[in-house]
Short mmCIF file of all heavy atoms in Angstrom, two decimals:
data_model
loop_
_atom_site.label_atom_id
_atom_site.label_comp_id
_atom_site.label_asym_id
_atom_site.label_seq_id
_atom_site.Cartn_x
_atom_site.Cartn_y
_atom_site.Cartn_z
N LEU A 4 -18.84 -5.87 16.03
CA LEU A 4 -18.12 -4.57 15.76
C LEU A 4 -19.22 -3.55 15.49
O LEU A 4 -20.05 -3.67 14.53
CB LEU A 4 -17.22 -4.74 14.52
CG LEU A 4 -16.42 -3.54 14.10
CD1 LEU A 4 -15.54 -3.07 15.23
CD2 LEU A 4 -15.71 -3.79 12.84
N VAL A 5 -19.18 -2.45 16.20
CA VAL A 5 -20.04 -1.32 16.02
C VAL A 5 -19.30 -0.09 15.67
O VAL A 5 -18.31 0.30 16.29
CB VAL A 5 -20.82 -1.07 17.35
CG1 VAL A 5 -21.80 0.13 17.25
CG2 VAL A 5 -21.52 -2.34 17.80
N PHE A 6 -19.71 0.52 14.52
CA PHE A 6 -19.03 1.67 14.04
C PHE A 6 -20.00 2.62 13.31
O PHE A 6 -21.03 2.12 12.76
CB PHE A 6 -17.82 1.39 13.17
CG PHE A 6 -18.16 0.59 11.91
CD1 PHE A 6 -18.43 1.28 10.74
CD2 PHE A 6 -18.21 -0.81 11.99
CE1 PHE A 6 -18.78 0.47 9.67
CE2 PHE A 6 -18.53 -1.57 10.88
CZ PHE A 6 -18.79 -0.90 9.68
N ASP A 7 -19.65 3.86 13.20
CA ASP A 7 -20.48 4.86 12.50
C ASP A 7 -19.94 4.92 11.08
O ASP A 7 -18.76 5.40 10.81
CB ASP A 7 -20.39 6.19 13.14
CG ASP A 7 -21.19 7.32 12.48
OD1 ASP A 7 -21.77 7.09 11.41
OD2 ASP A 7 -21.23 8.40 13.05
N GLU A 8 -20.66 4.51 10.06
CA GLU A 8 -20.20 4.44 8.76
C GLU A 8 -19.80 5.89 8.12
O GLU A 8 -18.82 6.02 7.48
CB GLU A 8 -21.16 3.81 7.75
CG GLU A 8 -21.26 2.32 7.92
CD GLU A 8 -22.21 1.71 6.84
OE1 GLU A 8 -22.11 2.12 5.70
OE2 GLU A 8 -22.92 0.77 7.19
N GLU A 9 -20.55 6.85 8.58
CA GLU A 9 -20.24 8.27 8.13
C GLU A 9 -18.89 8.69 8.75
O GLU A 9 -18.11 9.39 8.01
CB GLU A 9 -21.31 9.20 8.57
CG GLU A 9 -22.57 9.09 7.70
CD GLU A 9 -23.60 10.20 8.01
OE1 GLU A 9 -23.21 11.29 8.42
OE2 GLU A 9 -24.87 9.82 7.85
N GLN A 10 -18.65 8.34 9.94
CA GLN A 10 -17.33 8.73 10.59
C GLN A 10 -16.17 8.06 9.88
O GLN A 10 -15.11 8.64 9.65
CB GLN A 10 -17.40 8.38 12.04
CG GLN A 10 -16.26 8.90 12.84
CD GLN A 10 -16.35 8.68 14.33
OE1 GLN A 10 -17.18 7.91 14.73
NE2 GLN A 10 -15.58 9.37 15.07
N VAL A 11 -16.30 6.78 9.52
CA VAL A 11 -15.29 5.97 8.92
C VAL A 11 -15.06 6.57 7.46
O VAL A 11 -13.92 6.81 7.03
CB VAL A 11 -15.71 4.54 8.76
CG1 VAL A 11 -14.65 3.81 7.86
CG2 VAL A 11 -15.69 3.97 10.18
N ALA A 12 -16.18 6.84 6.73
CA ALA A 12 -16.04 7.45 5.40
C ALA A 12 -15.39 8.89 5.48
O ALA A 12 -14.51 9.19 4.65
CB ALA A 12 -17.40 7.61 4.74
N SER A 13 -15.65 9.68 6.50
CA SER A 13 -15.02 10.98 6.62
C SER A 13 -13.54 10.84 6.87
O SER A 13 -12.72 11.54 6.34
CB SER A 13 -15.69 11.68 7.78
OG SER A 13 -15.01 12.86 8.05
N ALA A 14 -13.19 9.85 7.74
CA ALA A 14 -11.75 9.59 7.91
C ALA A 14 -10.99 9.12 6.66
O ALA A 14 -9.86 9.54 6.34
CB ALA A 14 -11.54 8.54 9.07
N ILE A 15 -11.64 8.29 5.88
CA ILE A 15 -11.06 7.86 4.61
C ILE A 15 -10.89 9.05 3.69
O ILE A 15 -9.76 9.17 3.07
CB ILE A 15 -11.92 6.76 3.95
CG1 ILE A 15 -11.90 5.47 4.75
CG2 ILE A 15 -11.45 6.50 2.54
CD1 ILE A 15 -12.85 4.38 4.25
N ASP A 16 -11.84 9.86 3.58
CA ASP A 16 -11.74 11.15 2.75
C ASP A 16 -10.58 11.96 3.19
O ASP A 16 -9.81 12.44 2.37
CB ASP A 16 -13.05 11.96 2.92
CG ASP A 16 -14.17 11.36 2.11
OD1 ASP A 16 -13.96 10.60 1.14
OD2 ASP A 16 -15.38 11.90 2.38
N ARG A 17 -10.36 12.14 4.49
CA ARG A 17 -9.35 13.00 5.01
C ARG A 17 -7.94 12.29 4.66
O ARG A 17 -6.98 13.09 4.20
CB ARG A 17 -9.38 13.14 6.52
CG ARG A 17 -10.50 14.16 6.91
CD ARG A 17 -10.49 14.62 8.33
NE ARG A 17 -10.30 13.47 9.29
CZ ARG A 17 -11.28 12.78 9.86
NH1 ARG A 17 -12.51 13.14 9.53
NH2 ARG A 17 -11.02 11.80 10.69
N VAL A 18 -7.77 11.07 4.73
CA VAL A 18 -6.57 10.40 4.46
C VAL A 18 -6.22 10.50 2.93
O VAL A 18 -5.08 10.82 2.54
CB VAL A 18 -6.61 8.92 4.88
CG1 VAL A 18 -5.33 8.11 4.35
CG2 VAL A 18 -6.61 8.83 6.38
N VAL A 19 -7.26 10.29 2.13
CA VAL A 19 -7.10 10.39 0.66
C VAL A 19 -6.72 11.80 0.26
O VAL A 19 -5.76 11.99 -0.49
CB VAL A 19 -8.25 9.90 -0.13
CG1 VAL A 19 -8.22 10.21 -1.64
CG2 VAL A 19 -8.52 8.39 0.06
N GLU A 20 -7.40 12.80 0.84
CA GLU A 20 -7.09 14.18 0.52
C GLU A 20 -5.64 14.53 0.89
O GLU A 20 -4.88 15.16 0.14
CB GLU A 20 -8.00 15.18 1.22
CG GLU A 20 -9.43 15.04 0.65
CD GLU A 20 -10.39 15.89 1.54
OE1 GLU A 20 -9.97 16.67 2.42
OE2 GLU A 20 -11.62 15.64 1.32
N ARG A 21 -5.19 14.01 2.02
CA ARG A 21 -3.79 14.31 2.47
C ARG A 21 -2.81 13.61 1.49
O ARG A 21 -1.78 14.23 1.18
CB ARG A 21 -3.61 13.80 3.86
CG ARG A 21 -2.12 14.04 4.30
CD ARG A 21 -1.90 13.81 5.66
NE ARG A 21 -0.40 14.01 5.89
CZ ARG A 21 0.09 14.27 7.03
NH1 ARG A 21 -0.61 14.35 8.06
NH2 ARG A 21 1.40 14.40 7.14
N ILE A 22 -3.08 12.40 1.10
CA ILE A 22 -2.17 11.73 0.17
C ILE A 22 -2.05 12.47 -1.16
O ILE A 22 -0.99 12.65 -1.69
CB ILE A 22 -2.64 10.26 -0.09
CG1 ILE A 22 -2.40 9.43 1.16
CG2 ILE A 22 -2.00 9.69 -1.33
CD1 ILE A 22 -3.08 8.07 1.06
N PHE A 23 -3.21 13.01 -1.62
CA PHE A 23 -3.15 13.77 -2.94
C PHE A 23 -2.39 15.03 -2.81
O PHE A 23 -1.87 15.57 -3.74
CB PHE A 23 -4.56 13.94 -3.46
CG PHE A 23 -5.25 12.75 -4.08
CD1 PHE A 23 -6.58 12.78 -4.13
CD2 PHE A 23 -4.43 11.74 -4.44
CE1 PHE A 23 -7.21 11.66 -4.64
CE2 PHE A 23 -5.02 10.64 -5.01
CZ PHE A 23 -6.44 10.50 -5.11
N ARG A 24 -2.25 15.60 -1.51
CA ARG A 24 -1.54 16.87 -1.35
C ARG A 24 -0.02 16.65 -1.21
O ARG A 24 0.78 17.58 -1.29
CB ARG A 24 -2.00 17.63 -0.12
CG ARG A 24 -3.41 18.30 -0.37
CD ARG A 24 -3.72 19.30 0.75
NE ARG A 24 -3.47 18.74 2.13
CZ ARG A 24 -4.37 18.13 2.88
NH1 ARG A 24 -5.58 17.94 2.45
NH2 ARG A 24 -4.04 17.68 4.14
N MET A 25 0.40 15.44 -0.98
CA MET A 25 1.80 15.05 -0.80
C MET A 25 2.57 15.19 -2.07
O MET A 25 2.02 14.85 -3.13
CB MET A 25 1.97 13.69 -0.10
CG MET A 25 1.35 13.56 1.21
SD MET A 25 1.44 11.88 1.84
CE MET A 25 2.10 12.18 3.42
N ASP A 26 3.85 15.54 -1.98
CA ASP A 26 4.71 15.55 -3.16
C ASP A 26 5.53 14.27 -3.16
O ASP A 26 6.53 14.18 -2.44
CB ASP A 26 5.56 16.80 -2.96
CG ASP A 26 6.38 16.96 -4.22
OD1 ASP A 26 6.09 16.47 -5.32
OD2 ASP A 26 7.51 17.69 -4.12
N PHE A 27 5.16 13.38 -3.98
CA PHE A 27 5.79 12.07 -4.10
C PHE A 27 6.59 12.04 -5.40
O PHE A 27 6.23 12.42 -6.39
CB PHE A 27 4.88 10.91 -4.15
CG PHE A 27 4.17 10.58 -2.88
CD1 PHE A 27 2.80 10.80 -2.68
CD2 PHE A 27 4.87 10.02 -1.85
CE1 PHE A 27 2.13 10.47 -1.54
CE2 PHE A 27 4.18 9.68 -0.67
CZ PHE A 27 2.88 9.93 -0.54
#
Side-chain angles (χ1 to χ4, degrees):
L4 180 62
V5 179
F6 60 92
D7 179 357
E8 286 189 39
E9 286 186 30
Q10 189 175 15
V11 173
S13 175
I15 291 172
D16 283 340
R17 289 192 309 271
V18 170
V19 170
E20 287 172 17
R21 179 172 176 158
I22 288 171
F23 286 157
R24 287 193 313 265
M25 294 174 135
D26 184 22
F27 287 113

